[in-house]
Amino acid sequence: MKRTIKRKDKKEKRLSLLYILGGGILKEDFIVKHTKMIVLIVFLIFFFIGNRYTCMQKIKEIDRLRQKLRDVRFEALSISSELTGNSRQSQIEILVEQQGLDLEGAKSPAYELYK
């Protein structure tokens, strides 16, 4: 009869919120025997949470840089097309006339000199 009362009291202690929050659960045999494993598991949990946070930050940075690269490529393409348009002979002749320069186009085609 005394054993059943002690077991009942012990079970009530284990289930009590005050027993758990008061730190009494840390005296239990299971916790004491497996302290190293519990510490290792808690350490790994913190490590994985930190690793995931770092990965998410790097993914955000990669996305930001990809968007910036897309914008720069578009800008380079538009500048290149504008330069190509301004480099045409007809466009150059119009610019020379607008500037009032006394220049004329070549009357004979260009030729190369070889050694």
Side-chain angles (χ1 to χ4, degrees):
M1 184 93 170
K2 289 183 181 182
R3 287 185 180 181
T4 57
I5 292 172
K6 286 184 181 180
R7 286 183 185 171
K8 192 174 184 182
D9 288 340
K10 201 169 188 181
K11 284 184 181 180
E12 286 178 12
K13 281 185 180 179
R14 287 184 186 171
L15 298 177
S16 170
L17 183 63
L18 185 58
Y19 179 72
I20 294 171
L21 294 178
I25 196 166
L26 297 175
K27 296 178 191 174
E28 293 295 324
D29 292 336
F30 177 80
I31 302 295
V32 172
K33 287 180 183 177
H34 297 95
T35 303
K36 291 179 183 178
M37 183 61 74
I38 292 170
V39 170
L40 176 65
I41 290 171
V42 170
F43 175 75
L44 288 175
I45 288 171
F46 281 120
F47 177 75
F48 286 131
I49 289 171
N51 189 30
R52 180 175 178 177
Y53 177 76
T54 303
C55 289
M56 288 174 62
Q57 294 295 87
K58 288 183 180 184
I59 288 171
K60 285 180 184 178
E61 180 72 12
I62 288 170
D63 288 341
R64 185 185 65 79
L65 290 174
R66 280 185 181 159
Q67 181 64 34
K68 189 174 179 181
L69 179 64
R70 228 178 280 132
D71 293 343
V72 168
R73 280 183 179 168
F74 177 74
E75 186 178 347
L77 184 63
S78 64
I79 289 173
S80 175
S81 67
E82 185 179 326
L83 178 63
T84 302
N86 288 339
S87 297
R88 293 190 178 137
Q89 185 174 358
S90 60
Q91 194 68 20
I92 291 174
E93 289 174 357
I94 292 171
L95 287 173
V96 167
E97 287 178 14
Q98 286 177 352
Q99 296 287 328
L101 300 175
D102 194 23
L103 298 175
E104 293 181 5
K107 303 228 187 310
S108 60
Y111 56 92
E112 292 183 22
L113 299 175
Y114 294 103
K115 280 188 171 182

